[in-house]
Amino acid sequence: MVLHLSPFPNGCVAGLHAVGWALILPCFWFLDRLIAVCKSTTLERVERQERECYLHPLQVFFGSIIFFILFLVTSPVALLGFLLWAPLQAYRRPFSYHIETQIPLEQEARHIFEEGKATFGFATANLCLLPDSLARFNNLGHTQRRATTIGRCVAQGDTETAPPTATTVNTNQNSNQQGEAGERSAPRVLRSEDPGERDGVPLEVSSLFPANVDILCLEEVFDKRAARKLKDALGPVLGHILYDVGVYAWQTPCCSSFKFFNSGLFLASRFPVLEAQYYCFPNSRGEDALAAKGLLCAKVLIGQNHKQEKVVGYFNCTHLHAPEGEGEIRCEQLTMVTVWIDEFQTSHRRPDEVVVFDVLCGDFNFDNCSPDDLREQNHNIFEEYIDPCRAGPGKEKPWVIGTLMEQPTMYEEDVITPDNLQRTLETEELRRQYISPPVPVVGVPLVYPLPDEPWVGRRIDYILYRQNSLPKHYKTEIEEFTYITQLAGLTDHIPVGLRLRVSDWSAED
């Protein structure tokens, strides 16, 4: 799909869309506040107890009445706005594209293979940036405040131009209980006990985002204002942003139901995006069917190799079906992902280009240790793409750490700051208290971990890479895998990063 800065074909449609949304927004905001005032996070409840504040019931009572009245008053106007807004979605492209004009054009494709070698950094994180009322059901609140802080954390971690300062202090929902991010520690190299493994995987549990991330994929960036805050923060650092990805309203035949939310996918790239395509899952159901979850495929321009050939990379991000016990839907979606990726690459591959990476990442909503996820663990996507954390179906490598946190305990002292969460993840006994355990099959007792195996927990955030998309004389090696704790208290997922080293064997001849 040809990239345009605006998701609309012309200014007239964009203006009508803005008018429709402006009529909807007050009613939407009052409904959001009506629910949010009645739903507290555990952190807010603890803070009220510490302050001995007993006025909260009155705040809930009067706040709910006021917001309910305002919701009713603005509903007729919102209905008119909806009647204008919904039909216009048929003319909307499935994402907005932002290019940071501050980046000189001559620097955009500056990545050149020196002596036939280069490294590329990737990261992914689920941010739970839903409307504030819905985020609170995940024990997270203050979506706009979190978005601002997350954008600052990621941007500062990537530039890494100075020692940690007040720009590197995480603020949680109430901006008063986060500690300072610590100095970047040296990577800890763990070597697998499996004799089939040729090399160890350099592993780092870092309180800062990795330096020089080239492409970042975020999930659950559903809130439009939060997406713009992230775009403004990350644009000067990474330069090329795809946001507000997905479709709304009725979009048959690609989507099976009315979509209240977009896909939540957000892609930020240091490299110019040449092509991009969004695909919507048609088989979502339940609460997941309210969002246009799917797959975003992108082709980026890296630069030139030592032979002066055009060098490109493929990056794919997705967010699969969430409810537990519905593995058949996730398996169908994984199959769609493999088909769509191959379709996208076949359509956009050029004979004068060299592909140097093919990466798939995102929130897969299943892990490699839960008995209830056995079907997904055996999907053939893992024959196409390499999972650096996976020893086999249902078995993780011994150094792996789960990425899904237990929501009720995510504000306790052991995990509330980046440094504390870093220490907790490095200690297995502490990890057990804060990382979600495996999901058992209904009616079958869970035995986990097996004797002489480490406790890992649910790892549902993945970064996979594929070797066979590259020319035969190119070799991909893992330079580093990173668990990132900088967003402690800001999301219920632990971001992960992967750095790959790509070498051209022909350059050594």
Side-chain angles (χ1 to χ4, degrees), residues 314 316 341-349 358 466 469:
Y314 291 110
N316 314 280
I341 289 176
D342 289 342
E343 176 186 302
F344 175 80
Q345 295 184 5
T346 300
S347 300
H348 298 290
R349 191 181 294 268
D358 179 357
R466 182 159 63 175
S469 300

Side-chain angles (χ1 to χ4, degrees), residues 24-79:
I24 296 172
L25 184 59
C27 180
F28 176 84
W29 190 83
F30 291 135
L31 177 61
D32 184 54
R33 299 321 305 161
L34 171 61
I35 300 172
V37 77
C38 302
K39 182 70 174 177
S40 298
T41 65
T42 56
L43 179 62
E44 290 169 339
R45 290 195 291 268
V46 169
E47 289 181 336
R48 286 197 298 268
Q49 292 175 357
E50 292 177 349
R51 296 197 307 265
E52 297 184 354
C53 178
Y54 305 108
L55 298 179
H56 182 67
L58 293 176
Q59 178 184 352
V60 172
F61 179 75
F62 289 107
S64 59
I65 292 176
I66 292 171
F67 287 126
F68 182 68
I69 292 173
L70 292 173
F71 167 71
L72 292 179
V73 169
T74 55
S75 292
V77 177
L79 179 59

Side-chain angles (χ1 to χ4, degrees), residues 372-387:
D372 194 52
D373 292 338
L374 182 62
R375 184 180 305 183
E376 301 96 302
Q377 294 162 8
N378 286 275
H379 194 275
N380 60 13
I381 195 170
F382 295 107
E383 299 174 7
E384 290 283 329
Y385 282 87
I386 299 170
D387 181 355

Side-chain angles (χ1 to χ4, degrees), residues 146-203:
R146 285 192 297 119
T148 300
T149 303
I150 289 170
R152 186 173 66 243
C153 288
V154 176
Q156 190 280 337
D158 188 82
T159 53
E160 200 187 17
T161 56
T165 66
T167 63
T168 60
V169 178
N170 276 9
T171 50
N172 58 29
Q173 290 125 311
N174 290 283
S175 304
N176 62 1
Q177 243 182 310
Q178 286 285 3
E180 294 187 2
E183 299 285 351
R184 185 180 301 278
S185 60
R188 298 181 295 107
V189 179
L190 283 76
R191 297 194 177 275
S192 172
E193 300 298 328
D194 184 351
E197 290 285 330
R198 294 178 299 170
D199 301 308
V201 176
L203 171 68

Side-chain angles (χ1 to χ4, degrees), residues 112-360:
I112 299 177
F113 275 49
E114 297 180 0
E115 300 179 356
K117 298 179 181 179
T119 59
F120 303 97
F122 311 96
T124 184
N126 183 315
L127 302 182
C128 195
L129 291 176
L130 289 151
D132 189 48
S133 58
L134 299 182
R136 288 172 177 273
F137 288 91
N138 287 354
N139 203 21
L140 291 160
H142 301 280
T143 294
Q144 305 308 317
R145 197 180 304 172
R146 285 192 297 119
T148 300
T149 303
I150 289 170
R152 186 173 66 243
C153 288
V154 176
Q156 190 280 337
D158 188 82
T159 53
E160 200 187 17
T161 56
T165 66
T167 63
T168 60
V169 178
N170 276 9
T171 50
N172 58 29
Q173 290 125 311
N174 290 283
S175 304
N176 62 1
Q177 243 182 310
Q178 286 285 3
E180 294 187 2
E183 299 285 351
R184 185 180 301 278
S185 60
R188 298 181 295 107
V189 179
L190 283 76
R191 297 194 177 275
S192 172
E193 300 298 328
D194 184 351
E197 290 285 330
R198 294 178 299 170
D199 301 308
V201 176
L203 171 68
E204 181 177 9
V205 181
S206 173
S207 60
L208 292 175
F209 258 80
N212 301 319
V213 168
D214 292 309
I215 304 181
L216 171 67
C217 170
L218 304 175
E219 301 87 49
E220 293 199 10
V221 186
F222 291 114
D223 187 274
K224 289 186 176 184
R225 288 190 296 156
R228 288 193 292 269
K229 291 177 187 293
L230 289 174
K231 180 256 297 182
D232 293 341
L234 300 180
V237 179
L238 294 174
H240 301 267
I241 312 288
L242 293 174
Y243 65 103
D244 197 10
V245 178
V247 296
Y248 296 92
W250 294 279
Q251 298 291 333
T252 57
C254 64
C255 294
S256 57
S257 61
F258 187 93
K259 302 301 180 185
F260 288 91
F261 301 104
N262 59 27
S263 70
L265 297 175
F266 180 106
L267 187 150
S269 171
R270 197 180 301 276
F271 308 119
V273 180
L274 298 176
E275 305 281 354
Q277 184 70 47
Y278 159 79
Y279 303 86
C280 182
F281 292 135
N283 65 337
S284 299
R285 68 185 184 201
E287 66 271 21
D288 255 33
L290 300 177
K293 285 187 175 181
L295 171 73
L296 176 64
C297 298
K299 175 182 175 182
V300 298
L301 174 63
I302 309 302
Q304 292 181 325
N305 62 12
H306 63 287
K307 298 178 182 178
Q308 303 303 303
E309 296 172 317
K310 190 176 181 180
V311 177
V312 300
Y314 291 110
F315 188 82
N316 314 280
C317 48
T318 189
H319 188 188
L320 301 185
H321 190 68
E324 296 175 1
E326 298 186 359
E328 73 280 359
I329 294 181
R330 282 185 288 274
C331 282
E332 292 172 2
Q333 292 178 347
L334 284 173
T335 300
M336 294 176 200
V337 164
T338 57
V339 172
W340 289 336
I341 289 176
D342 289 342
E343 176 186 302
F344 175 80
Q345 295 184 5
T346 300
S347 300
H348 298 290
R349 191 181 294 268
R350 302 290 181 265
D352 59 339
E353 296 173 342
V354 176
V355 178
V356 293
F357 61 74
D358 179 357
V359 171
L360 168 63

